[in-house]
Amino acid sequence: MASTNSYEIAPVGVLGGGSFGSAISNLLAENQPVILLTRSQEVADSINTTRQNRGRVMHENVRATTDAAEVANQCRLIFPILPSAGFRETIKSLAPHLTPEHILIHGTKGVDIQLPAGDQLTADYKLNPKKVNTMSEVILQETIVRRVGCLAGPNLAAEILEGQPAATVVASHFDEVIKLGQKSLRTPRFQVYGSHDLTGVEIAGVLKNVIALAAGALSGLGFGENAKALLISRGMVEMIHVGTHLGGDIVAVLGLAGIGDLIATCSSSKSRNFTVGYRLAKGETLTAILADMEEVAEGLNTLRISRAMANYLGIRVPLTETIYDVIYGEKTVEEGLDYLMKFPFYVDIDRSMFRRV
Amino acid sequence: MATKVHNQDGWLYDPIYPDASTWPIVKLAHEREAFIKELVALSIENIKEQLGNNPANLKDELARTLYSERIRVSQTPWKADAPDEKEFWSKVKKDMVRINAGHENPHAFGHEDLVQRIVKRYAEEIAGVFDVNAYDFAKRFTTTLFSRLLNASQGKGMARLFETRHNLHDKIHLVGEIDHIRELAKRGTIIVVPTHFSNLDSMLIGWAIQSIGLPPVLYGAGLNLFGIKILAWFMNRLGAYKVDRRKKNMLYLETLKMYSELSLRRGCNGLFFPGGTRSRSGMLEKRLKLGLLGTALQAQRLNFENDGEEAKKIFVVPVTINYNFVLEAQSLIDQHLKISGQEQYYVENDDFSTSTKMIKFIYRFFTASSEIAVRFGTPMDLFGNRLDEEGRSFDPHGNEVDIKKYFFSNGEISKDLQRDAEYTRMLGEEIVKRYHREAVVFSSQVVAFAAFRIIKARYSKMDLYGLMRLPSEDLTIRPKQLMDAVGKLVERLREMYANGEIQLEKEVQEGSIANIVKKGVANLGIYHAKLPLMYNEDKDFQSQDIKVLFFYHNRLEGYGLHKFI
C-alpha cells in the first residue's frame, strides 16, 4: 500500500530541545526524519547549520524549527519533552494546530497543578490530589487529541546521546500508540517496552525524582552503598504510598519507570536531581545551585507538590518531609539524616501499604 | 427555534417529524425480516472473527453457551421466556452430541449450523416490533394516565381522577438544552443516556422524549419486565428490544451488540441506561456498563467508512432524572448494603413483578410525588466535544473538529477494536462527569445529606453497618444544628451552581435556609412507611429509617461536599 510507504518516511515531531529532547530526537532520527521544536531561533539555526545544540551533536535527520504549526502540520506523531512548568503553555499554543488524528507521547517527568490565584505552595499548604494533573491529563484537557502516551524509564540523556544501550517504556491505553512509539523509537541499542498503565507509569517517573534528590545528598555526604540501598527501598514504599493517591498502580513502580529509573537516577551524577542533592550536601545553597543549572530539576517541583498533597491527605511521608525541610532550609542535611535514623518505622513493608485508595 | 405548544395534552413541543412514515424506527419495523437476516449474518461474521476464524474455538464457545444456557433454562426460568426453551436447547444438545460423535474433525460442517440456529433465535428474541398505531395510543395513554394520577393526588383521591386541571408539566419539569437537541435530531442520530434510579424511569423518559417532539427511540428493556403482560404489550410496540441479563454467553452478547449497532447505523435514535441497572446506593452512576455504548462508536466509524462526507453523526445526550423520592429506595439500599459495592449477580426483587403491583406503584408514585425534574443535558459527540446547532464539533478553543479523524491511522479510517474500546471508556467517563454537572439538586436531597452527615459525625467511630443498626431514638437532630449544616451546604452548592458544576431547583437556588429545610423535610421520601426524616414530638428532627436517609444522602456524594459541613 502506498500509504504505508509514505508513512514510513513521514517525520515525527519533538517539542523541546533540552538534553532529553535532544537525546530522543537523535534516537528517532535513526528511523525517520525528525522536526524538533525549539524555543529560540538561535538554537534552531545552530542545529540546522552546524548540527550543534549547546554542546550536543544532533543527527543529520533532525531539522529544527520554532514554528509549532509546522510541527503539527507535518507530523502526526509528536513527542512533547518539555519541563513541566512550561508544559501546559506550550501545549496550549500547539492546540489550535492539532487534529484528532494526532498522537502525542510525552517524556516529561513532572506534574501540573492548577492553584487558585494567589496561592503559594508553602510547607503547610494542603493540596487536593484532584488538582494535580499528569502531563497526559494536561494534553487531554487542552487539546482534542485523545491518543496519548508517555515515555519513562532509566533514560539518562547523556548516556543515550553517547549511544549506550538502554531501554524505555511507552505507556498508553491505546495499543496503537504503544506500537507506534515502539516502531519509531526502537534501535539496535534502544529497547522499547509497552504498558497499558499510563497513570501508573507517569506517576512512578515523577515521584522517583524526589528520592533522587536525597540520593544525591547521601552521596555528597560521602556515604556508601548501604545507605543508598536503604534510601531506594524506603523511597519505593513512599512512592507507592503517595502514588496510589494520584491514581497510580504499584505494579508500575516495579517496572522500568519505577525501580529501573530510581536506580539509574539515584546512582548517577548525570541526573540533575541527584546533582542538586549532592551539591546541597557539599554546602552550597539552593539559590547558588539553581543559578548555574542549565535545565530545571523536576524533583524540586514534585517535592513541593508531594509535601502539600500529603498535608491534604493527612498521611506521613517522612522521606519527603525531611528532604523538603533540608532543601528549603529548616534542617541541615545532617539534621535531616539524624531525624530519619530516629524515626520510628516499625514495619519494613507489608501488604497493608499497598491498599488501593 | 422550536415552537412550543402548550395544549390540552400538555405537549410542550411540536414533533420534529409529524409524518411517522419517515421515522427510521418505522422503516426498521417494516423491514424486520430482512433486518434480522442481516443481523444474524453480521453477528456470526463478527463472532467468528473474534474467535480468530478458528473452527475449534467456535466449537468450544458453542459448548460453553450450551452449558450455561441449559443451566439457565433449568434454574432461572422466567415468565417471559419462550415456551419452547427447553425443547430448543435439548435439540441443540442432541445435535451437538451427534456432530461431535460423527465428526471428530472440527473443520467438518455442523457446528456452524448450530451457531446459526442459536444466533437466529437470539436475534428474533431481541428485536422488537415497533407499531405506529400502538405508539400513538400509548403516547396518549401515558399522558392521560400520568395527568389523571397527578390530578388525583392534588385533589381528594379517586374522585378527581377524571379532571385535568393540573397540567403534567407543572409537576414534571422538562429542562435543559431541548432546542439544541431538537436541532441535532434533524441532522443525526441521537443517543439518550439517562441516569437510572427507579423502574419508572423507562416510562418517564419515554414520555419526556415524546414531549420534546423527538421521534421515538429504540431502547433495551430487561426481559424480566416482559413477563408483565400490560408492560410487555406496550414495550413490544414502543421500540423496546429485549435484553436478558441472564445470558452472558458470547454468542448472545455479540448478537445484542450487533442489533444496537445496526439500528444506530440505520439512523434509529437509541436510549441506554449506561448504569446498567438502577442505582442501588442512590449515588449517581460512577461506573458505566460500556457494552452497548461501545456499539455507538462502531456505528459511527462504519458510518464514516461507508458514507464519507454524507455520514450521519451520532450525538450523545446525557439526561438526569431527578426525584424527591424513589419508591424502591428501601429495597435498593438493602441490596446495596448486602453486596456493599461488589459486583455480584443480584436476585431480582419483586417490587415490580406483576401488573397489579406495577399499577399500584405508578399510582403511589404520582399521588405521593411532588416534583420531578428531567434534565436534558448538553449534547456532545462521541468524543465529548461541544456541538453547535448544526451538529458540528468544536474544541475548547473554538476550532472545528473533524471527528472522523479519530478513527484515522496512516491517513485513513482503520478498524481497531481496542481503540474503539478506549474511546468508549473515555466516553463513559465523560458521561459520568456530565451526570454530576447536570444533576438537579432538590431541597430534600440537601436536607438528607446534611442530616446523615451530622449523625455520621456523631458516631464517628462506628462503621456504616453499625450506624444502620442504631435505634431511631438515637437519630435525633436539634433544629439549629440541621439549619446550620444546611446553610453551609447551600452556600457551597450555590457557589458550584454559579460555576456550572451542578444544577439546583429554584428553592435551593434562592430560597431561605428555613424554607429549604421546611420544603426538604416535607418532600424527603414522603411515600415511605418509615420516614427518613421527620419532626418528632419535641420538635426535633428524627430519622425513622437511617438506611433510606443514607440512600437519599448518597445522591450528593462525589462532590466533596462533606468538607463543607
Side-chain angles (χ1 to χ4, degrees), chain A residues 5 15 38 66 77 115 141 211-212 223 249-250 278 307 345:
Chain A
N5 277 330
L15 310 181
T38 61
T66 54
L77 175 61
L115 289 186
Q141 286 160 9
I211 312 301
F223 296 123
D249 199 312
I250 55 161
Y278 185 87
R307 170 80 191 250
F345 295 105

Side-chain angles (χ1 to χ4, degrees), chain B residues 233-247:
Chain B
W233 191 89
F234 276 113
M235 288 194 303
N236 260 326
R237 287 160 183 79
L238 293 182
Y241 57 92
K242 301 186 193 87
V243 180
D244 187 346
R245 258 173 298 164
R246 297 167 305 170
K247 302 190 180 99

Side-chain angles (χ1 to χ4, degrees), chain B residues 225-492:
Chain B
L225 297 177
F226 285 81
I228 306 163
K229 281 208 182 93
I230 307 179
L231 215 52
W233 191 89
F234 276 113
M235 288 194 303
N236 260 326
R237 287 160 183 79
L238 293 182
Y241 57 92
K242 301 186 193 87
V243 180
D244 187 346
R245 258 173 298 164
R246 297 167 305 170
K247 302 190 180 99
K248 293 186 196 300
N249 69 74
M250 180 210 180
L251 302 190
Y252 178 77
L253 294 175
E254 289 306 319
T255 311
L256 180 64
K257 282 194 246 172
M258 189 55 76
Y259 176 86
S260 168
E261 180 184 319
L262 276 182
S263 61
L264 285 171
R265 279 176 60 196
R266 287 181 173 227
C268 295
N269 296 334
L271 181 147
F272 312 122
F273 287 108
T277 55
R278 291 165 295 166
S279 165
R280 300 234 158 339
S281 61
M283 268 183 240
L284 280 165
E285 279 86 346
K286 267 197 298 199
R287 260 189 298 266
L288 304 184
K289 295 259 158 76
L290 300 174
L292 284 178
L293 207 57
T295 64
L297 255 305
Q298 309 244 17
Q300 182 72 85
R301 176 168 47 75
L302 287 162
N303 279 358
F304 282 132
E305 219 169 290
N306 298 333
D307 308 334
E309 293 307 311
E310 300 294 300
K312 273 195 162 186
K313 274 170 90 171
I314 296 175
F315 306 119
V316 181
V317 179
V319 172
T320 57
I321 305 177
N322 306 275
Y323 297 108
N324 269 308
F325 75 100
V326 176
L327 269 175
E328 311 100 304
Q330 224 148 0
S331 63
L332 287 176
I333 195 67
D334 273 342
Q335 289 172 38
H336 169 70
L337 290 170
K338 259 180 217 147
I339 57 185
S340 14
Q342 279 172 38
E343 202 136 327
Q344 278 178 20
Y345 182 78
Y346 99 97
V347 186
E348 288 291 335
N349 63 51
D350 64 347
D351 44 33
F352 213 55
S353 59
T354 66
S355 296
T356 350
K357 269 190 185 161
M358 186 196 79
I359 289 180
K360 241 194 202 155
F361 181 97
I362 296 174
Y363 181 76
R364 277 173 182 164
F365 179 80
F366 279 99
T367 48
S369 179
S370 39
E371 292 136 289
I372 299 164
V374 178
R375 183 174 170 86
F376 290 89
T378 310
M380 58 187 178
D381 65 26
L382 292 173
F383 303 92
N385 294 309
R386 184 175 64 82
L387 298 164
D388 72 357
E389 296 272 309
E390 256 122 63
R392 291 178 302 187
S393 301
F394 289 88
D395 74 4
H397 309 278
N399 303 305
E400 191 173 345
V401 181
D402 182 1
I403 64 162
K404 178 166 81 251
K405 291 189 171 171
Y406 282 114
F407 300 108
F408 272 29
S409 71
N410 298 340
E412 55 190 40
I413 294 177
S414 70
K415 180 180 180 182
D416 181 340
L417 294 179
Q418 198 269 342
R419 177 172 67 204
D420 289 351
E422 279 309 311
Y423 285 150
T424 307
R425 183 186 57 78
M426 291 167 123
L427 174 61
E429 284 174 7
E430 189 59 32
I431 292 174
V432 168
K433 255 191 237 164
R434 301 294 177 102
Y435 280 166
H436 283 81
R437 219 186 290 167
E438 308 282 1
V440 182
V441 179
F442 287 139
S443 33
S444 60
Q445 294 157 357
V446 178
V447 170
F449 189 86
F452 183 79
R453 282 287 159 177
I454 290 171
I455 293 170
K456 188 165 187 279
R458 191 182 301 159
Y459 302 100
S460 59
K461 292 229 168 66
M462 256 181 213
D463 68 0
L464 193 58
Y465 300 89
L467 274 183
M468 297 295 143
R469 279 192 296 269
L470 286 171
S472 180
E473 302 85 80
D474 291 349
L475 303 173
T476 56
I477 301 171
R478 306 287 312 173
K480 185 173 177 317
Q481 196 181 7
L482 188 68
M483 295 273 280
D484 284 351
V486 169
K488 283 182 204 155
L489 208 53
V490 167
E491 190 186 334
R492 172 65 190 153

Side-chain angles (χ1 to χ4, degrees), chain B residues 47-48 51 54-63 111-112 115:
Chain B
I47 288 165
K48 287 206 273 188
L51 293 172
N54 181 345
N57 290 347
L58 190 69
K59 182 187 166 191
D60 289 349
E61 202 55 54
L62 199 57
H111 290 121
E112 238 186 277
V115 172

Side-chain angles (χ1 to χ4, degrees), chain A residues 43-113:
Chain A
V43 172
D45 290 343
S46 160
I47 293 172
N48 291 336
T49 53
T50 65
R51 316 243 51 88
Q52 290 292 319
N53 177 9
R54 288 162 290 187
R56 294 177 281 266
V57 181
M58 300 303 292
H59 193 285
E60 57 180 6
N61 273 348
V62 179
R63 186 167 61 77
T65 178
T66 54
D67 181 6
E70 189 189 343
V71 179
N73 294 337
Q74 303 269 326
C75 313
R76 190 169 65 90
L77 175 61
I78 299 174
F79 292 84
I81 304 193
L82 306 154
S84 64
F87 195 90
R88 189 180 283 273
E89 278 317 304
T90 310
I91 291 297
K92 261 187 184 166
S93 68
L94 189 71
H97 311 294
L98 292 172
T99 72
E101 206 185 342
H102 278 103
I103 292 179
L104 264 57
I105 302 177
H106 77 83
T108 300
K109 289 166 184 171
V111 285
D112 169 274
I113 45 168

